[in-house]
Amino acid sequence: MAEIRLPRVEQSQTKIRNVPIAVTPEGFWCCPSPVAFQKTLKAQNPLNKPKPSSPPPKFTVQKKQAPITERRPTHTQSRPGIVSDDQRDFGSDTPGHSAPVAAERAPRPKIENFPRKVAIEFGEPGTSDMKVILLGKQGFCVKLSVHKNVLVENSRYIADKLSEQQSGSSSLEIEDCEDVEIYVEIVGLMYCKEIKQRLIKQNVSRVLRILKVAELFGFNSCMQSCLEYLEAVPWVGEEEEKVVSSVLRLQGEGIGVPPVLKRVSSDISKPHKDTLPQIIDLVLKSNEERGRREMKSTVLKLLRENNGLPSYAGSTDICNETLYSSCKICLNSLLSLFRQAAEPGFADKPMNSKEPVVKQIPLEADNLLWLVEILADRQAAEEFALSWAGQLELASLHSKLPIVSRYHVSGITARLFVGIGRSELLPSKDTRQLLLQTWLEPLINDYSWLQNGCRSFDRKVVEEGIGRTILTLPLEEQQSILLSWLGSFLKAGDKCPNLQRAFEVWWRRTFIRPYSEAQGNIFQDSSTTSPIIDLKKHPHE
């Protein structure tokens, strides 16, 4: 490894800080640590300790062909370093033992207050023919000794800047460098033939920083290497959004980046039309309980996220069409299973003959319940409510099956009542009336089993939904349904839905409110005829 000599920029407060710098067959490679240019240079000796009795060693940096006048330090550095210009040059006039102790212990100015300047030489020592000055934040300055032909060949930005200057100019100043560390690394990469190999051990965040500065420099080969790196490595957590936004910015400028974006976009024109039905079909046909439960929850969550996205609006019709097609298949399957289970002599069949039917009924009911949940979230369940209210044959077969086989079906009815109570679906009056006539009695008969057999069943929510649905009907129909419920509730107690709140509202509508309105009319008539006399006779009314 060749030796690199770093010239001193100017005399000031002196400190030496080593960073990884090496000369490879490809040229100079600089890989400073992520904090090398960001952290404040610390003092070599603690501020609260006195100076040693002997004068500190003298550090100088050799210039080309300069004679050696001072003794080198006894230790040998394994790698050359960066010489900071905010370092002090201890000369022969620096006071030694004779300096007063009080002066040695006097508080020294903080190192942060000194200008921070660093000088770096690229390539073979003494062969540079150009200076690049990077001016960063808070007065930080880096002076680079570089080779003009290398930078002009790799950077459109530098080539354009030098062409604007006077001929023979050998310096370039770049102001407002937000990421000086990466600027230095970009210049180092210009001396490398295999840039992609230098990026292998970097993380995604740092490569994005390199990509951003390479774009500013117009360093095309570096940008291409960064894109190849980003296309190959995994993206974790928030990295995906950062990568996609950075790459889309480059694409807007005409730089070809399709391989990177193919990870998050597809060339298929209508992926939802083919993919979504396949996903739903796979979930509905699964017989593994845990896998079904977890994937139903996952798909439901993802569809909820899509509901609020404007880009998803064009796929709404396709999604609803898929859901209703699946609902129709499940309804037909459920009706067929009910017919088989209601046949005379079905209970006397061998277990291996009737077990598939008995096990499939809860699965189909669970499938329908999941689809209703999705439709309710998408505010598109009115059509299903009408279809379910019209399942008269299914409802008539319901009472012929053992309760252990049929009660899962009543969960679908309960979910529709909850949706109406929450205004998630707005079926017509006729649909609500038909739904209550067809399915309320089966729900009441299965209510005890629903409470004990369904983990997700919430009694209070369901009872509130049933009551609110009843109260949306005309008053006479409210009375008919609630009186029928009252007879069941007085016989079954907790095994029946508790609709007392709805009963109270209906009671007030029937008995109290008309009386109050009549009294109000009488008072209004009397106050119109003789308000003063009435007020004197009844001052407290």
Side-chain angles (χ1 to χ4, degrees), residues 109-335:
K110 293 183 178 181
I111 196 69
E112 291 88 343
N113 296 332
F114 294 116
R116 291 175 290 173
K117 299 179 182 178
V118 176
I120 304 175
E121 184 173 357
F122 287 78
E124 291 297 327
T127 61
S128 61
D129 57 356
M130 179 180 173
K131 301 288 184 182
V132 176
I133 303 173
L134 306 175
L135 301 178
K137 296 179 179 180
Q138 299 177 353
F140 196 81
C141 174
V142 178
K143 295 185 179 181
L144 309 177
S145 298
V146 297
H147 300 78
K148 185 176 181 179
N149 63 325
V150 174
L151 270 65
V152 170
E153 180 182 352
N154 290 280
S155 172
R156 296 193 308 272
Y157 171 80
I158 292 179
D160 293 342
K161 284 293 183 182
L162 291 178
S163 64
E164 296 173 359
Q165 295 182 356
Q166 298 178 356
S167 59
S169 175
S170 60
S171 65
L172 178 65
E173 187 174 286
I174 303 177
E175 299 179 349
D176 301 327
C177 299
E178 296 182 358
D179 204 343
V180 175
E181 173 193 349
I182 300 300
Y183 274 74
V184 174
E185 185 158 0
I186 287 292
V187 175
L189 289 171
M190 293 181 185
Y191 286 79
C192 297
K193 296 180 180 179
E194 297 294 335
I195 298 176
K196 185 178 178 180
Q197 296 299 320
R198 301 296 183 180
L199 301 176
I200 288 178
K201 294 185 178 180
Q202 307 284 3
N203 55 43
V204 172
S205 177
R206 187 174 180 86
V207 171
L208 289 176
R209 292 165 60 193
I210 293 174
L211 177 62
K212 181 179 180 181
V213 178
E215 179 189 359
L216 295 175
F217 271 96
F219 190 3
N220 290 337
S221 60
C222 182
M223 286 190 289
Q224 187 61 37
S225 297
C226 289
L227 292 173
E228 292 175 1
Y229 168 93
L230 295 172
E231 191 276 332
V233 300
W235 306 333
V236 181
E238 298 179 355
E239 290 178 350
E240 179 170 325
E241 295 295 331
K242 296 178 181 178
V243 171
V244 172
S245 62
S246 299
V247 171
L248 287 176
R249 185 185 71 250
L250 294 176
Q251 190 179 38
E253 297 178 4
I255 300 175
V257 290
V260 182
L261 294 180
K262 281 185 178 180
R263 188 182 300 188
V264 295
S265 62
S266 175
D267 295 333
I268 303 174
S269 58
K270 296 181 180 180
H272 300 292
K273 186 174 182 180
D274 300 326
T275 307
L276 185 59
Q278 183 180 3
I279 293 172
I280 293 178
D281 187 60
L282 288 171
V283 175
L284 294 177
K285 290 182 178 179
S286 173
N287 293 324
E288 205 284 318
E289 182 180 357
R290 181 175 179 181
R292 281 169 52 88
R293 184 174 64 252
E294 292 187 359
M295 287 311 302
K296 284 182 176 181
S297 177
T298 300
V299 173
L300 179 60
K301 179 186 69 173
L302 294 175
L303 288 174
R304 282 174 176 171
E305 292 177 2
N306 290 349
N307 288 343
L309 299 178
S311 60
Y312 194 69
S315 304
T316 300
D317 294 337
I318 297 175
C319 184
N320 291 346
E321 180 182 347
T322 300
L323 293 171
Y324 274 107
S325 176
S326 299
C327 286
K328 185 177 180 180
I329 295 172
C330 291
L331 278 173
N332 292 335
S333 175
L334 188 62
L335 181 58

Side-chain angles (χ1 to χ4, degrees), residues 329-330 333-334 337 360-369 412:
I329 295 172
C330 291
S333 175
L334 188 62
L337 292 168
Q360 191 64 27
I361 290 176
L363 290 178
E364 293 296 348
D366 186 59
N367 289 337
L368 277 171
L369 182 60
I412 303 170

